[in-house]
Amino acid sequence: MSQFNYQNQTLFAENVCVSQLAQTYGTPLYVYSKTEFEQRWKMFDEAFADQPHLVCYAVKTNSNIAILNVLAKLGSGFDIVSRGELERVLRAGGDPKKVVFSGVAKQSVEIQRALEVGIRCFNIESFAELDRIQTVAKQMDIVAPVSIRVNPDVDAQTHPYISTGLKDNKFGVDIEKAPELYQTAANYSHINPIGIDCHIGSQLTQIAPFVDALERVLKLKQHLADNGIEIHHLDLGGGLGITYTDETPPEVASYIQALLKKLDDSSVEVIIEPGRAIAGNAGILVTEVEYLKPTDHKNFAIIDAAMNDLIRPALYQAYQRIEPVKLHSDGTKAKWDIVGPVCETGDFLGKDRELNLQAGDLLAVMSAGAYGFTMASNYNTRPRAAEIMVQDDKVWEIRPRETYEDLMGSEKLIS
Ligand code: LLP
């Protein structure tokens, strides 16, 4: 059940009136439900029952430290892809021993910092990266725990930009080549290969590609065992999709159960890295209609949010529902393109939306909790939106709106 519902024709986030929030904090405004974050994380955790497991929330999805802190308190682990994300986790009180480090281009200083704080595991994506980790770990005289991220060559059947498990993608190591890499790793003095990692894409709405990937990973695990390399954990990545409009992704519990059924081993630890399936429907982006611009050809509703606040529609042709914050009792619906103030034709949040609109109305772009704020930019010198967390009738401003000083205070004139 969504935490964003109408009470008396007005949208509420849990028990907080969204138009009140807009009045207090201004728009564009991200609003998150703490309850939704907690419930979704727990669904993953509880679905594993007695299987040893660690749910590592993918920090890139929504990395506000208040959110990381809420999840850390539940015992969450974290999947990071940069030193910046590691520093966020530490600042949020996350346990470094529950951090896995993914990403294709880890720098030496990032590896060093991760070793220093003692993360759980590096997910290695190439021979060259394995060498680099060995070098850094040796200098520090620490043994680095690693998994090799394998590319199982399965089609995730999702948007090409967020599909990562095909041979064409830059990610991971061809699963056929992985045994050689594990042998090298096992022979290195400062590397300990402890896991196998894979992540095949994002916004998957079918279980089959996950199960296919796991099958291939299990074959590799057996092959490694036959060659004297014992694997302690399997990291199956993230990728479970959500409902933006009419998609019907599997329930969290059915997805985990399908994995456990295939696994058939109660001792190996399973790590997963969900992001969107926890954060996506825990947030909305609230925006105000600045102008209505009906033309002979099309109706444009120009809002105060733009592609710099939420880039998914422009970048992936993503569809996110757009709902009125207050339902009008009069007027009629028309088709509107919901566009932002940025000087780009690609700057739209929705096209041909049937809405009953007036200038000054507030709109909510739904399912904006994942890859919303974290992908926001300052394009057109637009301050990034404020972020608000609510639970029941409580409200926290977890990031104030950027000021113009934030935007250009560190820039310098040349003499
Ligand atoms: N683990 C790794 C190694 C990843 O690369 C990702 C996402 C995740 C976990 C989390 O995946 P999720 O559970 O959220 O599907 N910006 C795009 C999505 C990019 C996903 C990148 N990797 C979007 O807005 O749709």
Side-chain angles (χ1 to χ4, degrees):
M1 200 198 73
S2 171
Q3 298 296 332
F4 299 95
N5 292 302
Y6 289 94
Q7 297 179 21
N8 300 324
Q9 315 285 310
T10 296
L11 189 66
F12 274 67
E14 303 208 17
N15 276 319
V16 177
C17 174
V18 169
S19 59
Q20 208 92 67
L21 289 175
Q23 207 159 53
T24 311
Y25 298 100
T27 52
L29 185 70
Y30 275 99
V31 180
Y32 308 124
S33 157
K34 179 166 178 270
T35 303
E36 182 76 10
F37 267 100
E38 290 171 333
Q39 284 180 353
R40 297 291 294 180
W41 187 90
K42 283 186 199 156
M43 271 184 205
F44 279 95
D45 190 50
E46 286 162 10
F48 279 101
D50 294 335
Q51 184 79 30
H53 66 277
L54 182 61
V55 180
C56 290
Y57 169 72
V59 173
K60 64 168 81 71
T61 317
N62 187 327
S63 59
N64 186 294
I65 60 169
I67 289 168
L68 302 183
N69 174 253
V70 164
L71 299 179
K73 282 187 189 143
L74 298 178
S76 187
F78 297 95
D79 166 55
I80 60 162
V81 291
S82 68
R83 162 139 188 219
E85 289 189 349
L86 176 57
E87 299 303 338
R88 283 186 175 276
V89 169
L90 297 173
R91 199 170 280 205
D95 180 354
K97 290 189 187 58
K98 292 183 180 173
V99 168
V100 294
F101 195 166
S102 304
V104 288
K106 300 174 194 78
Q107 298 170 341
S108 296
V109 287
E110 295 183 306
I111 295 165
Q112 196 180 335
R113 177 70 173 142
L115 285 169
E116 191 179 283
V117 301
I119 65 162
R120 165 74 61 104
C121 194
F122 290 90
N123 291 334
I124 290 190
E125 304 230 11
S126 61
F127 274 87
E129 187 191 338
L130 181 65
D131 279 351
R132 184 178 284 186
I133 294 183
Q134 157 71 9
T135 306
V136 177
K138 196 169 172 195
Q139 277 162 4
M140 296 173 73
D141 199 20
I142 296 176
V143 173
V146 309
S147 293
I148 309 292
R149 175 168 173 183
V150 296
N151 186 335
D153 198 28
V154 299
D155 185 358
Q157 288 166 359
T158 182
H159 189 282
Y161 284 11
I162 51 178
S163 182
T164 51
L166 283 169
K167 280 191 170 152
D168 280 354
N169 305 129
K170 69 178 174 184
F171 299 100
V173 173
D174 185 341
I175 196 158
E176 308 293 329
K177 299 254 165 54
E180 195 186 331
L181 197 50
Y182 273 100
Q183 280 306 340
T184 311
N187 292 334
Y188 275 164
S189 56
H190 289 75
I191 298 277
N192 184 15
I194 58 169
I196 304 177
D197 172 46
C198 94
H199 169 80
I200 57 173
S202 196
Q203 183 55 13
L204 273 70
T205 52
Q206 306 288 328
I207 291 184
F210 290 114
V211 175
D212 288 353
L214 175 56
E215 223 164 64
R216 290 174 202 188
V217 164
L218 288 173
K219 268 196 201 138
L220 173 62
K221 177 173 179 289
Q222 186 56 50
H223 177 88
L224 294 175
D226 295 344
N227 288 279
I229 297 175
E230 210 54 59
I231 291 301
H232 304 283
H233 79 241
L234 302 178
D235 182 337
L236 302 177
L240 183 64
I242 60 166
T243 303
Y244 282 99
T245 163
D246 52 7
E247 304 89 339
T248 51
E251 295 291 328
V252 171
S254 346
Y255 153 72
I256 302 293
Q257 270 148 28
L259 297 178
L260 293 183
K261 200 167 141 215
K262 183 67 31 193
L263 190 64
D264 203 17
D265 172 355
S266 58
S267 65
V268 70
E269 185 186 26
V270 181
I271 294 180
I272 48 162
E273 306 167 352
R276 190 191 317 263
I278 292 175
N281 279 320
I284 60 173
L285 173 62
V286 185
T287 173
E288 183 176 329
V289 177
E290 291 281 353
Y291 299 102
L292 293 183
K293 185 172 172 182
T295 71
D296 287 346
H297 182 57
K298 253 188 183 298
N299 295 324
F300 295 101
I302 304 169
I303 57 173
D304 64 5
M307 65 190 290
N308 76 293
D309 300 298
L310 181 67
I311 203 175
R312 302 193 66 260
L315 192 57
Y316 317 109
Q317 299 79 45
Y319 183 103
Q320 297 189 209
R321 286 189 299 123
I322 299 179
E323 306 288 355
V325 168
K326 279 196 176 152
L327 299 169
H328 290 300
S329 46
D330 53 348
T332 52
K333 286 187 177 176
K335 270 194 185 168
W336 296 95
D337 276 13
I338 312 294
V339 301
V342 163
C343 306
E344 300 260 356
T345 304
D347 181 29
F348 61 88
L349 294 187
K351 288 194 166 170
D352 290 329
R353 301 304 174 91
E354 293 259 1
L355 289 162
N356 174 7
L357 288 186
Q358 290 162 20
D361 282 357
L362 293 170
L363 295 173
V365 184
M366 310 306 287
S367 313
Y371 307 108
F373 190 91
T374 50
M375 295 182 81
S377 77
N378 294 121
Y379 188 39
N380 281 202
T381 305
R382 290 169 48 82
R384 280 179 297 172
E387 293 178 286
I388 303 295
M389 173 95 90
V390 306
Q391 184 161 49
D392 191 12
D393 59 1
K394 291 193 286 298
V395 176
W396 300 270
E397 186 183 24
I398 60 174
R399 194 181 206 274
R401 183 175 309 285
E402 275 178 335
T403 64
Y404 292 103
E405 187 56 23
D406 291 335
L407 280 183
M408 57 196 116
S410 61
E411 294 175 24
K412 291 191 178 77
L413 299 175
I414 55 170
S415 52

